[in-house]
Amino acid sequence: MSRFEARKGELLLDSEIVFHERVTFIGRIESRWSLNDCPKNLRQARERGAPARVHVAPQFRPALDGIAAGDALVLLYWMSHAPRNLLRQVPRHRSEGTGTFNLRSPVRPNPIGMGVVKVLEIDMESGIIGIDAIDAVDGTPLIDIKPHMPRADTVPE
Amino acid sequence: MSRFEARKGELLLDSEIVFHERVTFIGRIESRWSLNDCPKNLRQARERGAPARVHVAPQFRPALDGIAAGDALVLLYWMSHAPRNLLRQVPRHRSEGTGTFNLRSPVRPNPIGMGVVKVLEIDMESGIIGIDAIDAVDGTPLIDIKPHMPRADTVPE
């Protein structure tokens, strides 16, 4: 889906998107969510209390070495269902539109979602990581896993 | 650069990377860093005290609406210089190798860097955002800008 009808207050990109690089899917997210009931962010996902799992593809499993239960990870995932050509959006919880880069909406030029999650368990052989929560629909492709670094991943006051 | 010689303790992916989706560059990062002196993470970048700038391409500038000085943003950027086929790495600060997904190294299947930065100033018309620090070399392509959400972007204790 690359095109999308704008609603009042929204603004569409008026040119075709030019592509520069390619991503590989390193695995998939297994969750309880469909497009209809997916939480808008991880705080909501945690409040609704649904642990989830990450499935890492066989060829990438050695790259999980060193990750352990209790770790915090940054997951990056590809929200394939989202259109990419909306510059201003009117989210349901706002009365006025705002810029796409001022929102965490999946609708953005590169539909990459980001979640900081806690590892509940990990099995290197099957490539399965149990995590505390996720705000992504079942089957969402995963594109990166990083260790969360609390001191580097926050801005100083 | 898609191939790379492994050092002792390192492990190469033994198959070609299969690509699934495409990314667009929405702008570039302007920084003081070259490949030789780039800080390893944002904490180091802040300690070395070098503000930086983000340049957003003309067609995407309306998507900045609503972002203001003082905001914290998550930047995602594409570390084009990094090889993508290393599953285990031996960083200089460690004596033993560990999994790529247990490191923040730019060397990873999708070479995406993530930085949480503070907006010092923003000019919508020129698409220039002044930020407090960045751990990316000058000219690094930008692929996403998101608002940082402190309550959603940390794991509960």
Side-chain angles (χ1 to χ4, degrees):
Chain A
M1 201 189 311
S2 69
R3 286 283 153 183
F4 190 73
E5 288 296 309
R7 300 195 302 242
K8 189 169 179 297
E10 298 192 330
L11 177 66
L12 285 175
L13 183 66
D14 65 2
S15 56
E16 289 294 321
I17 293 179
V18 176
F19 295 106
H20 302 90
E21 274 288 354
R22 296 177 300 170
V23 296
T24 183
F25 295 164
I26 61 166
R28 296 267 170 188
I29 290 168
E30 175 193 347
S31 78
R32 192 182 294 176
W33 314 121
S34 69
L35 277 177
N36 294 324
D37 65 1
C38 191
K40 297 292 176 213
N41 59 56
L42 262 163
R43 187 169 55 81
Q44 283 185 15
R46 289 195 170 95
E47 285 167 2
R48 289 164 70 179
R53 303 207 294 179
V54 164
H55 296 256
V56 173
Q59 69 273 31
F60 293 116
R61 288 177 196 163
L64 296 172
D65 185 38
I67 298 174
D71 286 358
L73 300 177
V74 179
L75 303 182
L76 298 182
Y77 32 99
W78 192 268
M79 298 173 291
S80 321
H81 299 280
R84 301 174 65 163
N85 62 334
L86 209 47
L87 297 172
R88 288 177 55 86
Q89 304 176 43
V90 186
R92 271 173 228 166
H93 62 281
R94 294 186 187 222
S95 56
E96 296 193 1
T98 191
T100 289
F101 297 144
N102 192 36
L103 291 168
R104 291 289 281 259
S105 158
V107 176
R108 51 206 318 114
N110 295 300
I112 299 173
M114 188 198 83
V116 181
V117 303
K118 191 164 187 176
V119 176
L120 303 180
E121 55 190 341
I122 178 165
D123 182 68
M124 293 282 296
E125 199 173 337
S126 63
I128 296 178
I129 310 173
I131 56 176
D132 64 331
I134 198 70
D135 57 348
V137 301
D138 188 47
T140 298
L142 189 69
I143 61 171
D144 203 5
I145 301 172
K146 300 177 187 296
H148 177 53
M149 299 175 64
R151 283 208 298 166
D153 294 339
T154 47
V155 289
E157 288 302 312
Chain B
M1 204 190 308
S2 70
R3 286 283 154 181
F4 189 74
E5 289 297 306
R7 298 195 303 240
K8 188 168 180 295
E10 298 192 330
L11 177 66
L12 286 175
L13 183 67
D14 65 1
S15 56
E16 290 292 322
I17 293 180
V18 176
F19 295 105
H20 301 89
E21 273 288 354
R22 297 178 299 170
V23 296
T24 183
F25 295 163
I26 61 166
R28 296 267 170 186
I29 289 169
E30 175 193 347
S31 79
R32 193 183 293 178
W33 314 122
S34 69
L35 277 176
N36 294 326
D37 65 2
C38 191
K40 296 294 176 211
N41 59 55
L42 262 163
R43 187 169 55 80
Q44 283 185 17
R46 289 195 170 95
E47 286 165 4
R48 289 165 68 181
R53 304 206 293 179
V54 164
H55 296 256
V56 173
Q59 70 272 32
F60 293 116
R61 288 178 196 163
L64 296 172
D65 185 38
I67 298 174
D71 288 358
L73 300 177
V74 179
L75 303 183
L76 299 181
Y77 32 98
W78 192 267
M79 298 173 291
S80 321
H81 299 282
R84 301 175 64 164
N85 62 332
L86 208 48
L87 298 172
R88 287 176 55 85
Q89 305 175 43
V90 186
R92 272 173 227 167
H93 63 282
R94 293 186 188 224
S95 56
E96 296 193 1
T98 191
T100 289
F101 296 144
N102 193 36
L103 291 168
R104 292 289 281 259
S105 159
V107 176
R108 49 206 320 113
N110 295 300
I112 299 173
M114 189 199 82
V116 181
V117 302
K118 191 162 188 176
V119 176
L120 303 180
E121 57 190 340
I122 179 166
D123 181 68
M124 294 282 296
E125 198 173 338
S126 63
I128 296 178
I129 310 173
I131 56 176
D132 63 329
I134 198 69
D135 57 347
V137 302
D138 188 47
T140 297
L142 189 70
I143 62 171
D144 203 6
I145 301 172
K146 300 176 187 297
H148 177 53
M149 299 175 65
R151 283 207 299 166
D153 293 339
T154 48
V155 289
E157 287 303 313

